[in-house]
Amino acid sequence: QVQLVESGGGLVQAGGSLRLSCAASGRTFSNYGMAWFRQAPGKEREFVAGISWSGSVTNYADSVKGRFTISRDNTKNTVYLQMNNLKPEDTAVYYCAARRSVVITRPDRYDYWGQGTQVTVSS
C-alpha cells in the first residue's frame, strides 16, 4: 500500500503561482512512477504531468507545457507540481497518483490516489 497526501492548493489570481506537494508513505516511493491529474466540475479527470521513478523522464499535457513543472525528491518521498502563470481554466481539484510502472496518461491505470487539493484561479 502507498498513502498519498496532497497539499498546497488554494485561491490565486490569474498569472499567479502555486506549488503543490504530494507526500507518500508506505512502500518504496522510488519504485513508483508519479503523476498529477486534475478534475474540474462536470469534467473527466485529466492527466497534467508525470515523472518517472528516477525523475529523469517527465511529460506534460499540452495545456500546461511551459507553465507547470513536475519534480520529485525520493529522499523526502515527495513529488511536487510547480504551477506558474495560472489561468482560470486551471481551476480544478488536483490529485497525485502512483503507478508501479512507466507513467501513462490513463487515470484508470494508476494504483494509488491522494484525496485531492483544490486549486482555484480567479480572473
Side-chain angles (χ1 to χ4, degrees), residues 62-106:
D62 289 343
S63 59
V64 306
K65 278 181 183 176
R67 300 188 297 123
F68 290 11
T69 303
I70 189 171
S71 61
R72 67 189 294 163
D73 185 342
N74 287 344
T75 67
K76 296 181 179 180
N77 288 357
T78 302
V79 62
Y80 305 97
L81 185 68
Q82 177 66 44
M83 307 186 293
N84 298 330
N85 191 20
L86 282 160
K87 304 176 181 181
E89 51 264 44
D90 294 319
T91 295
V93 177
Y94 283 70
Y95 300 89
C96 71
R99 182 172 191 265
R100 192 166 181 169
S101 185
V102 297
V103 168
I104 59 175
T105 62
R106 289 180 55 174

